[in-house]
Amino acid sequence: MPARWNIFADIATIVVTPRCLICGCKVMATMNRICPRCRLRIPLTNYWRVEENPVKRRFDGMLILEQGSAFLFYRAGTIWQRLIHRFKYEGRWRIAHHLGLWYGAELSESGLYADIDVIIPIPLHFIKGLRRTYNQATYIAEGIAKSMGKELDTLSVRRKRNNPSQTKHKGYDRWTNVEDIFEVVHPERLRGKHILVVDDVMTSGATLYSCLKCLSDALPDARLSFAALAVTQYISDVR
Ligand SMILES: [Zn+2]
């Protein structure tokens, strides 16, 4: 290979070498933009490997679910909380997408999610979507769908009411704030399918419940599962 080519190749490596989205160090292209050191430090739940786990048990007696899991613990004051804030409020959607790719690979490997047919992100109301310009749950779901080789559906369910943010509510108010806010607009696309609903952060579980309940009421022959990217430690400690 000519030396001149080598120089260009070296420059290209310096310019295009991807960097870890979390710590900023250089990372191999195959690592999905999260370096091995950060992968080891991330507080994973491992809930997706077991059928009975605290986040799925959260809905016992409320919904019939096939599977349910969260990927990492959301701990206040940690860099993981900062990471989620960056993709939720600061426009860093690539972080959501790459965490979704990683999460999807783990869901596939567990075997419990093998017969999922379609993946649906929790929809934002269109007014909130205009303000934020994107729905972070869609980027997580897109990454999961790509890794799992499953269909992504962002059109069949919509948020019909622009409810105030859950962060402004506590306790029981969180459940009433999200009551009846979703609607299945294309039930014909989802009948008889196994649906995986994707959310970003599960705090009380009220938003996920509202979306899953809406699907369950509209589609009695569908099977339902969920995958939250993060869960607050509180929920995991409740039961
Ligand atoms: Zn890193």
Side-chain angles (χ1 to χ4, degrees), residues 5-191:
W5 174 263
N6 276 341
I7 291 164
F8 284 131
D10 288 346
I11 291 169
T13 304
I14 292 163
V15 173
V16 301
T17 296
R19 290 186 174 272
C20 174
L21 289 163
I22 298 165
C23 71
C25 78
K26 287 180 183 170
V27 67
M28 286 192 311
T30 50
M31 295 301 294
N32 273 335
R33 302 287 304 274
I34 301 168
C35 76
R37 194 159 159 261
C38 287
R39 280 173 185 257
L40 283 175
R41 289 165 59 207
I42 201 161
L44 299 179
T45 67
N46 286 302
Y47 289 161
W48 63 91
R49 300 184 200 280
V50 284
E51 266 189 75
E52 289 306 314
N53 63 63
V55 295
K56 183 172 174 244
R57 282 204 297 272
R58 179 76 171 167
F59 301 112
D60 277 357
M62 301 163 79
L63 289 163
I64 296 169
L65 297 172
E66 299 288 315
Q67 306 295 339
S69 72
F71 192 50
L72 60 103
F73 290 114
Y74 182 84
R75 291 174 181 149
T78 65
I79 65 162
W80 311 109
Q81 182 195 29
R82 174 88 188 103
L83 182 77
I84 287 164
H85 272 242
R86 278 162 73 189
F87 73 66
K88 214 168 158 159
Y89 304 113
E90 297 170 19
R92 299 291 303 276
W93 59 267
R94 278 192 184 81
I95 297 172
H97 178 73
H98 284 279
L99 286 170
L101 285 171
W102 182 11
Y103 194 8
E106 297 289 347
L107 292 172
S108 286
E109 202 183 295
S110 88
L112 295 173
Y113 297 79
D115 66 349
I116 294 287
D117 296 303
V118 60
I119 297 176
I120 295 182
I122 296 261
L124 276 186
H125 190 268
F126 80 96
I127 294 209
K128 212 169 267 174
L130 286 177
R131 220 169 32 228
R132 276 199 199 159
T133 69
Y134 69 93
N135 177 4
Q136 66 280 358
T138 300
Y139 285 107
I140 300 165
E142 198 178 77
I144 291 174
K146 192 172 172 190
S147 272
M148 296 183 79
K150 306 288 185 184
E151 180 195 345
L152 177 74
D153 182 335
T154 58
L155 299 173
S156 295
V157 180
R158 76 174 184 104
R159 194 181 286 233
K160 60 184 175 182
R161 189 158 57 80
N162 189 19
N163 60 303
S165 166
Q166 286 289 75
T167 56
K168 293 180 181 142
H169 292 80
K170 294 223 176 313
Y172 183 68
D173 284 351
R174 280 180 175 259
W175 294 81
T176 52
N177 182 43
V178 292
E179 219 174 328
D180 194 30
I181 61 169
F182 296 104
E183 180 183 20
V184 179
V185 285
H186 292 294
E188 72 284 356
R189 294 186 189 177
L190 301 173
R191 281 195 189 106

